[in-house]
Amino acid sequence: MSFQADYFDGLRARAKPVTVRVKTSPHLHIAFEIANESLAFALADCDVQAKLGKAKRLIDLPNGGRLEAENIDVLEALMPLKTNLFWRGLHYLENHLALVFASLLLTVFAGWLFLQFGVPKLAEAVAKATPPSMEAQLGEQVLKGLDHKLGYFSLSETDVTHKAAITAALSNLCSKVKNCPVYRLEFRNGGVIGANAFALPGGIMVVTDDLVRLAKNDTEIVAVLTHELGHVQQRHAFRQSLQGVLAGLIIAAVTGDVSSVASGLPAVLMQMRYSREHELEADRFALSALQKACLPTRAFADILQRLEAQALVATNDKNAKPKPGSDPKQKTHSISELLSSHPDTQLRIQPFLHIDLNTKRNCT
Ligand SMILES: [Zn+2]
């Protein structure tokens, strides 16, 4: 049994045609003559490269040389079954476009599955292993970024005594809740962000002047901040930012674009949307904490409805033509964090409306 091949000795670029004999005794090997010299190699020492479409078959030899052949069927027929099946299978896949597309789709789907479910789990594990001091440092950096670098915030114009009253009311609530996390409350003028409150990594909670103005009373503000405390308690902001970084790293590993990962975390956090699951966790915390503190849970429902009404007006305004002389920037209110993952506010506020009666009964 033999096949024709071109032999490259690994030193010169010129090929020499050879007849390669395939022998099975005492073991599977190939042999050929070149310049009056007999060469023989055990197949186990050779690297038979996979069949690639209609390209020539390559056999890398242990002496640094290489054989190139149109057809090595006689050799392949004798190769160990397992290897043979593997290469044949690979060749089959490569030559069927539908299968190539199917495996491409499968790869993309697997990647999506990992980003969707694997990354959050991974972020949770990394968050658990990260010391709170490191998370706090990250939170400080993010707030600095929002204050100075990105300029989202400016100094709060809320009256000092009003700020003190809100701070005291929240602290009073926290003293009545066993699992209240460590937090720090910050007031800011949110500018185009509008009425908003959100939790940054490390327990920093920011409330904007617009939200303070939107509230009919301080209990409503405390109710909103209690929802944010729920995010702090579960370290949602930190987990979310870890997810962003991990997903970025994975995408960078695939696309090779590392610079996208290095883009500012504050910007990522501003566009962040908590998952519906995180929002429900924060809501549950708020509901329970408001009850424990004997505050009307309805306050949360009231301010949420007002926020939603404001968001609707802002959306309608955006769609309408700007009036002459008006500042278009004033209309770019982002949807509040509090509404972000909850298209159905009515459904969400139901528990806060129904529990009010019980709260009153236990607290008077
Ligand atoms: Zn939230």
Side-chain angles (χ1 to χ4, degrees), residues 17 24 44 71 75 89 113 133 157-158 217 221 247 273 287 301 326 345:
T24 50
N71 187 329
L75 174 66
L113 270 185
S133 60
E157 287 154 19
T158 301
N217 52 57
I221 304 166
R273 295 279 178 268
L287 188 64
S326 66
T345 305

Side-chain angles (χ1 to χ4, degrees), residues 185-245:
L185 185 57
E186 294 281 347
F187 292 84
R188 291 290 188 277
N189 182 347
V192 291
I193 295 168
N196 219 328
F198 41 88
L200 301 180
I204 299 170
M205 299 199 298
V206 182
V207 57
T208 66
D209 291 348
D210 272 340
L211 188 86
V212 174
R213 274 194 293 271
L214 185 76
K216 288 238 165 90
N217 52 57
D218 289 356
T219 309
E220 286 187 356
I221 304 166
V222 169
V224 159
L225 290 172
T226 312
H227 168 91
E228 296 308 323
L229 274 179
H231 284 310
V232 171
Q233 204 231 12
Q234 295 290 326
R235 299 171 87 181
H236 286 160
F238 185 48
R239 278 157 60 183
Q240 199 80 10
S241 27
L242 282 175
Q243 275 182 39
V245 172

Side-chain angles (χ1 to χ4, degrees), residues 168-183 222 226 229 285 289 293:
L170 187 65
S171 153
N172 184 41
L173 170 132
C174 221
S175 68
K176 289 171 185 162
V177 179
K178 264 189 202 152
N179 54 349
C180 191
V182 177
Y183 69 91
V222 169
T226 312
L229 274 179
F285 179 90

